[in-house]
Amino acid sequence: MVEIRQLVKKYRERTVLDLPELTFEDGEIAALAGANGSGKTTLLRILAGVLSADGGEIRAPSQILYCPQNAYAFRGDLVENILLGVKEPPARALRLLEKMELAALAKKKASSLSGGELQRLALCRALIRPCRLLLLDEPTSACDARGTALAAQAIKEYQKEQGCTVIFSTHAPAFALTASRLLVLEDGRLADDGPPETVLNEPKTDWARSFSLLG
Ligand SMILES: Nc1ncnc2c1ncn2[C@@H]1O[C@H](COP(=O)(O)OP(=O)(O)OP(=O)(O)O)[C@@H](O)[C@H]1O
Ligand SMILES: [Mg+2]
């Protein structure tokens, strides 16, 4: 469970995050949406503990996994990338790679992957580790529809196994619809929060309304 009270983040005089009260329950998969600059990364970084807030309180589990917005590759092949720092058998890494349809690339250098492949590898690297709170910043922004669906499925399975809370940010409505809850930020404030279908089909925010522009 994550509890946020009176959370404020400012850059100089500009408030980029202002969340009076927000709670995420255990077992929840929450999607975080909103326009560029609305504060998604700022919120995830503060929850992950890599950025400090200017005020407020956060109660969160201590076992947190955080995947930043830019996926990265370590030296070595895909299996080595997944197993770095964990004592798990290579077969487990391979199973994750199979799930993400990357098994054929298992022995390739991670630095040679495409953007969408690298994001799926980053997800494998996270999902082999246990946690109580999984934070994913636009984990499928470079993925095609199939890659996004595979990622969504893997996240759901992981959440069930771990019983953890998951919060991911995304711009993609199809990915947001795989969550159990959709929150929309506007200028650092919570502008909508509810079942993904409702947030998208009864739009209260510019972010949700913008999809009707696409026809
Ligand atoms: N180090 C910084 N110094 C000044 N302003 C910053 C800094 N980091 C972020 N900001 C500002 O804070 C606001 C929120 O940024 P954030 O990265 O959280 O947005 P976001 O919702 O993740 O956007 P995107 O969809 O583009 O990833 C933006 O207006 C950004 O310019
Ligand atoms: Mg961001």
Side-chain angles (χ1 to χ4, degrees), residues 6-191:
Q6 311 296 342
L7 183 67
V8 175
K9 177 69 187 174
K10 291 180 186 183
Y11 286 110
R12 295 178 185 263
E13 285 309 293
R14 190 175 151 235
T15 301
V16 296
L17 206 58
D18 183 0
L19 297 169
E21 198 172 340
L22 185 56
T23 302
F24 298 92
E25 303 292 339
D26 287 347
E28 206 161 59
I29 300 183
L32 195 59
N36 292 138
S38 58
K40 304 178 297 297
T41 296
T42 304
L43 174 57
L44 291 172
R45 293 186 70 207
I46 290 172
L47 290 174
V50 297
L51 181 69
S52 51
D54 292 304
E57 279 173 41
I58 296 174
R59 291 182 60 182
S62 55
Q63 200 179 23
I64 297 175
L65 277 176
Y66 165 59
C67 290
Q69 191 159 352
N70 297 315
Y72 49 87
F74 296 120
R75 233 177 300 175
D77 64 27
L78 274 59
V79 173
E80 288 166 332
N81 261 260
I82 294 172
L83 293 177
L84 197 78
V86 287
K87 284 193 185 122
E88 293 288 341
R92 253 204 91 201
L94 265 173
R95 271 203 302 279
L96 274 168
L97 286 170
E98 276 163 16
K99 205 178 273 189
M100 299 307 290
E101 296 187 352
L102 290 171
L105 306 176
K107 287 286 155 203
K108 274 188 82 171
K109 277 189 179 161
S111 56
S112 69
L113 295 181
S114 76
E117 289 166 350
L118 183 60
Q119 281 194 327
R120 282 183 281 147
L121 172 65
L123 196 57
C124 293
R125 194 192 283 133
L127 300 188
I128 202 159
R129 292 157 166 81
C131 81
R132 301 301 308 154
L133 174 60
L134 178 63
L135 303 169
L136 306 167
D137 198 353
E138 297 197 37
T140 65
S141 56
C143 292
D144 58 22
R146 184 166 183 86
T148 303
L150 293 171
Q153 187 57 37
I155 291 167
K156 275 190 185 176
E157 285 173 20
Y158 176 87
Q159 190 286 321
K160 261 196 183 161
E161 280 163 24
Q162 299 284 323
C164 60
T165 305
V166 181
I167 309 173
F168 67 77
S169 67
T170 184
H171 290 290
F175 187 33
L177 282 168
T178 69
S180 56
R181 175 183 179 189
L182 174 55
L183 303 98
V184 185
L185 292 180
E186 270 181 2
D187 293 328
R189 290 185 173 79
L190 189 62

